[in-house]
Amino acid sequence: MWKYLPEDRRGEYAATDDEAKRWVDSASRGQTSDARRPPELSTRDNVSRAIYTEVREGRGTPHGGVFLDISYLPAEHVRRKLPSMYDQFKELADVDITKGPMEVGPTTHYVMGGVRVDAETGASTVPGLFAAGEVAGGMHGANRLGGNSLSDLLVFGARTGAGAAAHAAKHAAQSYVDPVQVADAARELAAPLERETGEDPYALQRDLQEVMQRLVGIYRVEADLNEAIDEIGKIRARLPRLAVRGGRVYNPGWNLAFEVRNLLIVSEGITRSALQRTESRGAHSRLDFPETDQKGWGGRNGVVRRREDGSMDVTTTKLPTMPDELGSLLGGGAH
Amino acid sequence: MSQVHLKVFRGEPGEAPRYDEFDVPVEEGMVVLDALHWIQGNAAPDLAVRWNCKAAKCGSCSGEVNGRPRLMCKTRLSDFAPGEPITVEPMRAFPLVRDLVSDVSWNYEVNKSIQAFTPPANKPQSEWRWQQEDIERVQEYRKCIECFLCQDVCHVLRNHETDTPFMGPRFLVRTAGLEMHPIDAADRRGYLKDVGGIGYCNITKCCTEVCPEHIKITDNAIIPLKERVADEFYDPIQWAWRKLRGKPAAGAAGTPLPMLAGASMSAQPMSPPEPALPAPPARTAPEVKRPRRRSDAGDETASEG
């Protein structure tokens, strides 16, 4: 019945609705029973898919989510363990999560993918450009687990800082910057401020959000992804008509005119990568390829590159070999 | 769909300030920041407002709503009476950047002047031991999200009424967390008295009232620090004891803080005009330097019991 459970953890959870209900009933009375708990505390990709399915099949809450209930735990325990959540629900929604259920729904999880970096130094493939944190790719595989982004930041933030410092020390001289390229970039950035009329960047952002939400969401399918690539192209075609009012000081509309170009690139990269990967793995779920295809896709990473003509090239590369010291930590299971 | 009427402060330093008015459609659960986002997306794309997490954890969207310092992401539209106009302004203690954004960089300069956590040099980390209740005590100060609403509401900073700098409640909170850390070996009492200007605080508790993290700033941070400073510098028995032992009072204070620049007055029509301050006394005569409202740290602690 719990179709979203990872196979190896199935034994930890209730096998039937009835068993789950018995567990909840006794837990709410503060008693123990031989029933196993329902599988609420799974990885985020599982929980998101489960919520999405419940809502789509008509079992959602009034606001289009599901109920999460931790009120069976002692109130003091909830307030101590989840102080921010307790405060936020209380202050923003008048909901006391120690007394009753809260409504929850999936949002963006994490960008599992990003700038390709060297693990030791954080160096990207562009000399002098370094990346760490969510913008850097590869750290979390297909599904970041809760708590891991903080460790990522601490470890790879330190490595990348040291890497960038070492690079700077070796390249003391001021690099040559092509003044023509700088002038072109400045002109392009300033253009929306100079146009009298045109498209509002907020309108482009809204349209892009709608496309990505509707077509490249939790569940993906080939036809939707192709449609999304078309739609993204149509929005990109409106970029040269962007116009913003106001000056250069703290102007969010002007800032968005710049950001929306980046949003389009990232959205296209996500969509083309999702289309390329004909399997389901971690947070990437294809309705038309619901299984994880270890033989076809295990050991292959997607790569997004800019071609000479500015278009996007999406291909794959072999997963790097796991270093011996890491493999030995994981029980010699390097592959 | 119901609507709210917003009056939003607009302008840059040196520009005639104005209030732009907007009718914003309201959905259930909306906060003031949502309304401002609606305005940016539909009516005024150049409206400047600083924000980030929309979950009351980053401390970016501080402003003044109907005259009260608040996080705009935590101020519900449903808290206002139907039809009541909502006036949104930037934090007025700090210099204006544009519209709802003020320049809070002075705070970062103050922060740098505080001596960081200083463990004893001769004790390796593996030998540090502290009690759960000590952890819980300093945890309260670490809840601070640096929204600077307490700095904004503090009359000492807001009215620019002193002739020497005052670090403000936020940095008394940070210092309290360091001073009460059981492993920390530094002594910041001289700094608090001479550089931080702790004596300027006259415990009106406005900072505690506006803190979105509900830190008891006055009771749990400022008053204990005032007591420590008073013990060190104003207790006659301590003074006599030190004389006898030939030991000086707590150490070097450090370099003076920068003064907080005022908001651009032309862009801040609602602030009362600044009263002219008497010329500051010469730096060489600290004993006559008693600006208005400064109360003696020793007196305050006595009155608090």
Side-chain angles (χ1 to χ4, degrees):
Chain A
M1 57 163 284
W2 312 108
K3 54 188 171 208
Y4 347 93
L5 271 189
E7 202 56 49
D8 57 336
R9 298 196 62 183
R10 207 166 273 261
E12 296 170 32
Y13 299 110
T16 62
D17 268 334
D18 183 57
E19 186 182 356
K21 188 172 182 310
R22 277 196 294 125
W23 183 88
V24 172
D25 286 347
S26 38
S28 353
R29 287 196 304 269
Q31 296 163 355
T32 51
S33 73
D34 59 347
R36 289 164 295 181
R37 63 176 299 136
E40 304 154 309
L41 197 66
S42 184
T43 53
R44 284 183 206 181
D45 60 321
N46 282 312
V47 174
S48 300
R49 281 192 293 267
I51 296 173
Y52 180 85
T53 306
E54 292 301 302
V55 173
R56 200 183 44 185
E57 293 178 1
R59 294 182 295 275
T61 59
H63 295 96
V66 298
F67 286 118
L68 171 62
D69 192 355
I70 52 165
S71 63
Y72 61 88
L73 293 168
E76 197 34 56
H77 179 81
V78 172
R79 277 194 292 267
R80 198 175 61 243
K81 289 286 181 187
L82 302 165
S84 300
M85 199 180 287
Y86 173 77
D87 272 356
Q88 281 176 17
F89 273 93
K90 196 100 167 81
E91 292 190 29
L92 294 173
D94 297 319
V95 171
D96 184 344
I97 63 170
T98 67
K99 293 205 167 72
M102 57 190 127
E103 286 181 78
V104 298
T107 66
T108 307
H109 172 28
Y110 198 81
V111 181
M112 271 84 63
V115 180
R116 188 174 184 179
V117 289
D118 170 61
E120 302 300 322
T121 62
S124 73
T125 53
V126 178
L129 181 68
F130 293 76
E134 189 167 0
V135 75
M139 183 65 221
H140 302 284
N143 186 19
R144 181 180 67 82
L145 301 181
N148 280 2
S149 61
L150 193 59
S151 349
D152 176 3
L153 285 179
L154 293 173
V155 174
F156 292 93
R159 287 185 177 193
T160 305
H167 177 89
K170 262 194 297 195
H171 299 78
Q174 182 85 31
S175 304
Y176 173 74
V177 182
D178 182 353
V180 176
Q181 282 190 35
V182 173
D184 283 352
R187 201 164 34 245
E188 197 183 336
L189 280 175
L193 284 172
E194 283 149 15
R195 271 180 214 113
E196 288 294 313
T197 56
E199 289 251 29
D200 180 357
Y202 283 93
L204 265 69
Q205 186 190 33
R206 268 196 298 271
D207 291 350
L208 181 60
Q209 284 170 338
E210 189 277 326
V211 165
M212 293 302 285
Q213 187 74 30
R214 181 166 56 87
L215 300 171
V216 201
I218 290 178
Y219 284 110
R220 287 116 180 227
V221 66
E222 184 180 341
D224 283 357
L225 295 171
N226 279 321
E227 188 186 337
I229 289 169
D230 285 350
E231 294 294 332
I232 292 167
K234 283 184 208 159
I235 298 171
R236 195 189 317 104
R238 290 155 65 191
L239 275 178
R241 295 198 298 273
L242 282 182
V244 292
R245 67 183 197 214
R248 291 166 180 239
V249 178
Y250 218 112
N251 184 341
W254 187 35
N255 187 54
L256 186 59
F258 170 69
E259 279 186 357
V260 87
R261 292 193 317 183
N262 301 343
L263 292 174
L264 282 160
I265 294 168
V266 172
S267 298
E268 186 181 344
I270 290 171
T271 309
R272 288 192 186 276
S273 303
L275 184 65
Q276 169 181 257
R277 191 169 275 273
T278 49
E279 64 158 357
S280 292
R281 181 183 292 266
H284 167 69
S285 300
R286 286 280 298 260
L287 284 174
D288 40 358
F289 299 95
E291 302 301 324
T292 300
D293 176 6
Q294 193 56 31
K295 226 170 119 193
W297 280 99
R300 278 172 83 192
N301 274 340
V303 182
V304 179
R305 275 185 299 222
R306 186 179 184 276
R307 288 200 194 93
E308 278 294 302
D309 66 355
S311 66
M312 192 175 280
D313 177 32
V314 178
T315 175
T316 64
T317 181
K318 223 170 137 295
L319 197 67
T321 319
M322 189 179 287
D324 289 342
E325 73 270 20
L326 210 57
S328 65
L329 281 176
L330 297 172
H335 56 266
Chain B
M1 192 185 280
S2 62
Q3 286 191 330
V4 287
H5 188 73
L6 260 75
K7 293 167 75 170
V8 182
F9 178 93
R10 305 295 306 271
E12 283 179 42
E15 206 177 83
R18 63 181 199 274
Y19 286 84
D20 283 356
E21 308 205 9
F22 305 93
D23 287 314
V24 178
V26 179
E27 286 175 46
E28 189 189 358
M30 268 174 73
V31 292
V32 168
L33 185 59
D34 291 319
L36 295 170
H37 284 163
W38 187 92
I39 293 169
Q40 286 182 326
N42 296 277
D46 61 335
L47 170 65
V49 50
R50 183 187 283 129
W51 68 282
N52 228 294
C53 75
K54 254 212 82 186
K57 281 286 163 271
C58 74
S60 299
C61 65
S62 307
E64 297 182 14
V65 183
N66 285 0
R68 195 182 165 84
R70 313 202 48 162
L71 289 182
M72 295 189 275
C73 71
K74 226 181 170 181
T75 306
R76 292 161 62 172
L77 296 178
S78 58
D79 288 346
F80 300 90
E84 180 189 359
I86 301 173
T87 304
V88 191
E89 297 167 295
M91 287 196 286
R92 282 191 264 140
F94 304 110
L96 180 69
V97 174
R98 190 169 162 262
D99 299 347
L100 299 175
V101 178
S102 43
D103 176 3
V104 295
S105 57
W106 172 80
N107 292 286
Y108 305 127
E109 295 306 312
V110 176
N111 195 40
K112 285 183 212 161
S113 73
I114 301 171
Q115 183 176 350
F117 173 63
T118 311
N122 53 0
K123 202 170 189 180
Q125 194 167 350
S126 56
E127 285 171 26
W128 297 357
R129 296 289 180 276
W130 45 324
Q131 302 296 314
Q132 184 62 31
E133 67 178 320
D134 290 323
I135 295 176
E136 278 158 19
R137 185 180 303 114
V138 297
Q139 205 61 33
E140 179 180 10
Y141 314 119
R142 302 193 72 104
K143 288 196 320 193
C144 175
I145 57 173
E146 295 208 316
C147 63
F148 304 127
L149 291 176
C150 59
Q151 307 284 80
D152 183 46
V153 82
C154 174
H155 64 87
V156 179
L157 294 173
R158 190 181 181 86
N159 298 344
H160 307 281
E161 60 192 8
T162 64
D163 65 340
T164 57
F166 174 51
M167 64 202 295
R170 187 284 169 264
F171 297 105
L172 289 164
V173 166
R174 177 166 179 235
T175 311
L178 292 162
E179 284 290 291
M180 293 184 207
H181 194 301
I183 311 293
D184 183 84
D187 182 353
R188 299 170 187 80
R189 289 173 295 180
Y191 163 84
L192 284 169
K193 173 172 156 289
D194 295 330
V195 178
I198 189 172
Y200 283 127
C201 167
N202 59 349
I203 12 187
T204 52
K205 298 201 177 185
C206 309
C207 50
T208 304
E209 219 172 287
V210 300
C211 178
E213 285 290 320
H214 310 297
I215 301 171
K216 294 196 175 64
I217 300 174
T218 315
D219 289 352
N220 291 352
I222 301 181
I223 289 175
L225 289 181
K226 275 177 173 286
E227 284 172 349
R228 287 173 184 223
V229 170
D231 278 352
E232 181 65 14
F233 297 102
Y234 300 94
D235 182 335
I237 298 173
Q238 288 279 349
W239 176 84
W241 178 239
R242 271 198 307 271
K243 272 274 182 215
L244 282 172
R245 290 167 64 208
K247 194 183 158 218
T255 47
L257 298 178
M259 288 294 282
L260 170 60
S264 161
M265 294 309 289
S266 69
Q268 300 286 331
M270 290 173 72
S271 299
E274 192 93 6
L277 282 176
R283 279 225 162 262
T284 46
E287 67 279 4
V288 298
K289 207 158 65 178
R290 293 186 70 86
R292 292 186 305 118
R293 297 212 204 184
R294 181 174 190 172
S295 44
D296 186 277
D299 292 345
E300 277 156 28
T301 24
S303 68
E304 280 293 311

